[in-house]
Amino acid sequence: MFKKIVVPVDVAVLDKGMDILKKAAELCDPDGEIILMHIVEEVPSYLSIDVPVDLVDKAVTDAKDKLHELKARTKIDAAIEIRIGPPAREILACAKEKKADLIIVASHRPDISNYLIGSTADRVVRHAPCSVLVRR
């Protein structure tokens, strides 16, 4: 059993989020903690002139709402955390700061672009300070 599990969820794909949250609940110690998180990617500065000023704020609010909805649907107690930045970097930073002993991340089927630049799950696996479970 794991004491602290970080569960990064893409709120655009809540079905995968539900799957990995349920797996976290199965693997979490009764006295453990699950950190349900979403990362809002920053808007590149060269695009910021063309997007609404409050785009990131709206994305954060939407993500919080969807994570609360996911918690309610699964009835699993988890702390919610929203971060802004590159997904892999923020997942790894959260795991390190919270002293997590497991990260559970969803992954899609790889295509050629993943072999050239690597996916978020690949980066998390390579650089994580703890164990990583990748669910497909």
Side-chain angles (χ1 to χ4, degrees), residues 87-117:
R89 183 188 75 196
E90 294 303 324
I91 293 166
L92 295 168
C94 179
K96 186 176 180 181
E97 290 166 18
K98 305 290 184 177
K99 296 180 174 54
D101 49 356
L102 179 65
I103 300 169
I104 302 180
V105 61
S107 180
H108 61 279
R109 297 264 178 229
D111 60 16
I112 190 65
S113 68
N114 295 111
Y115 295 111
L116 299 175
I117 60 170

Side-chain angles (χ1 to χ4, degrees), residues 1-44:
M1 300 299 256
F2 295 92
K3 291 279 188 192
K4 197 163 288 196
I5 303 174
V6 172
V7 182
V9 172
D10 180 352
V11 296
V13 192
L14 281 182
D15 289 341
K16 282 189 176 188
M18 186 176 297
D19 176 55
I20 63 174
L21 182 56
K22 287 179 181 178
K23 179 51 80 175
E26 290 174 20
L27 297 173
C28 192
D29 189 79
D31 296 328
E33 178 184 10
I34 297 172
I35 300 151
L36 183 62
M37 71 179 300
H38 176 75
I39 299 92
V40 175
E41 292 192 60
E42 295 171 317
V43 177

Side-chain angles (χ1 to χ4, degrees), residues 5 7 21 24-25 32-37 67-68 70-72 74-81:
I5 303 174
V7 182
L21 182 56
E33 178 184 10
I34 297 172
I35 300 151
L36 183 62
M37 71 179 300
L67 291 182
H68 282 291
L70 182 60
K71 276 180 54 174
T74 59
K75 296 179 174 67
I76 295 172
D77 186 33
I80 289 181
E81 184 157 335

Side-chain angles (χ1 to χ4, degrees), residues 20 103-108 121-122 124-125 132-136:
I20 63 174
I103 300 169
I104 302 180
V105 61
S107 180
H108 61 279
D122 293 333
V124 170
V125 168
V132 179
L133 172 62
V134 180
R135 294 279 292 192
R136 287 225 169 144

Side-chain angles (χ1 to χ4, degrees), residues 41-56:
E41 292 192 60
E42 295 171 317
V43 177
S45 59
Y46 62 88
L47 292 176
S48 63
I49 194 75
D50 296 325
V51 297
V53 175
D54 61 347
L55 179 72
V56 172

